[in-house]
Amino acid sequence: MAEKNQLNHLAIIMDGNGRWARKQGKPRVAGHHEGMNNVERITLAADKLGIKVLSLYAFSTENWARPKEEVAYLMNLPVRFFDKFMPTLMANNVKVNIMGYLDQLPPKTYKVVQRAMAETADNTGLILNFAFNYGSRSEITSAVKELGGMIESGAISSEQIDEEMISQRLMTAKFGAFRDPDLLIRTSGEQRISNFLLWQLAYSELAFSPKNWPDFNEEDLQEFVSEFQNRNRRFGKVDESDS
Ligand code: V0D
């Protein structure tokens, strides 16, 4: 019998908040609010399951095209999130990381996310990684630019470029051995990656839940995690038990 897969890094695309609100006859922002509360519940559940890194896709570089009232509400969510949950995060030793183009954020949002990272910097438990104003193609493009500059300056030759050098220049590099997600879950029935962690997901298992994010609960998470733990991961190789 094969061993169980270790789930170190879980990534989630938290989709379906607007749909949840519409089903309840509420404004879209009510969905965002309930979605925010669910971030806390799922963070604590993930921690209990022994997950080391939880990456959540919250706001992409494309979301700026939404109505400006909605964007304003979204930009205030990190402020409310940390106001409400910082004591719980500290009590649970959770370390916050925000990955994305942070210099484009409104100053208040920028300050609160920087402060959250600073305040939790010495925590040693679960890493709660928000992808915020993040886009994977931009991230890869930046890495390529950096390597291009190194060639130009004569520091390296193009022949020396390998996968490791690219991985090291992505925003997930700081997670070391856990930098690539083992499992990606997307809620709300959509089956797309939407410019999230394109490089890092190369060998990840993909899973989709029909539930909208505000309804996705601890029990759902447990089911996806046990399903993952019993899957047979091959990383492109042939499995002996197949032959
Ligand atoms: C709205 C579902 C927490 C997705 C969850 C602006 C839609 C709730 C955060 C958050 C969002 C982000 C960064 C941070 C702390 C918290 C968040 C957004 C949307 C994008 F440092 N929930 N949340 N950010 N929603």
Side-chain angles (χ1 to χ4, degrees):
M1 261 304 276
E3 271 179 61
K4 276 196 170 184
N5 293 313
Q6 176 70 38
L7 178 45
N8 291 315
H9 186 169
L10 171 65
I12 306 182
I13 301 177
M14 306 181 291
D15 198 7
N17 303 284
R19 226 163 304 179
W20 179 91
R22 181 149 24 87
K23 274 174 75 178
Q24 313 263 321
K26 291 177 180 165
R28 288 179 61 81
V29 293
H32 296 325
H33 179 82
E34 197 46 40
M36 179 192 78
N37 291 332
N38 201 35
V39 169
E40 187 199 27
R41 296 192 285 264
I42 294 299
T43 299
L44 299 178
D47 188 27
K48 272 206 287 186
L49 291 168
I51 290 165
K52 307 286 193 296
V53 181
L54 176 64
S55 291
L56 300 176
Y57 201 16
F59 190 86
S60 81
T61 45
E62 289 99 54
N63 288 157
W64 294 103
R66 301 220 181 145
K68 72 173 188 303
E69 300 75 32
E70 187 177 342
V71 171
Y73 186 91
L74 286 168
M75 285 301 140
N76 198 37
L77 277 181
V79 178
R80 294 170 50 189
F81 181 84
F82 292 122
D83 271 354
K84 208 166 164 187
F85 301 133
M86 200 48 146
T88 313
L89 297 177
M90 291 306 292
N92 286 277
N93 198 23
V94 173
K95 183 175 178 141
V96 173
N97 185 66
I98 327 284
M99 156 181 103
Y101 297 92
L102 302 187
D103 46 352
Q104 295 167 18
L105 299 178
K108 194 175 164 197
T109 311
Y110 180 85
K111 274 185 213 121
V112 82
V113 302
Q114 292 295 346
R115 189 159 50 104
M117 285 194 276
E119 280 179 20
T120 62
D122 294 331
N123 289 353
T124 55
L126 174 80
I127 297 173
L128 175 57
N129 178 39
F130 287 100
F132 189 27
N133 195 31
Y134 167 88
S136 186
R137 285 186 172 187
S138 294
E139 177 191 36
I140 295 169
T141 304
S142 301
V144 170
K145 255 186 207 155
E146 197 183 321
L147 293 170
M150 290 169 72
I151 297 170
E152 237 170 29
S153 73
I156 56 163
S157 79
S158 62
E159 286 308 308
Q160 285 173 275
I161 295 178
D162 60 12
E163 293 184 7
E164 180 60 27
M165 289 172 80
I166 296 173
S167 287
Q168 277 173 9
R169 283 163 181 80
L170 303 178
M171 296 173 186
T172 43
K174 62 173 80 154
F175 307 140
F178 306 144
R179 66 195 179 191
D180 298 332
D182 302 291
L183 173 66
L184 170 76
I185 301 173
R186 181 167 186 156
T187 60
S188 178
E190 304 294 344
Q191 305 197 355
R192 294 189 295 273
I193 306 290
S194 299
N195 205 17
F196 185 42
L197 300 174
L198 299 177
W199 175 277
Q200 296 90 332
L201 289 168
Y203 292 105
S204 308
E205 298 284 326
L206 307 179
F208 303 94
S209 168
K211 283 198 178 179
N212 292 321
W213 172 249
D215 291 329
F216 185 86
N217 59 31
E218 176 164 11
E219 206 181 308
D220 299 317
L221 179 66
Q222 277 166 2
E223 278 172 30
F224 277 98
V225 169
S226 18
E227 153 74 17
F228 166 85
Q229 287 169 334
N230 295 306
R231 280 190 200 180
N232 177 12
R233 294 185 82 195
R234 284 177 298 198
F235 298 97
K237 300 187 191 80
V238 175
D239 180 343
E240 285 77 41
S241 68
D242 271 358
S243 49

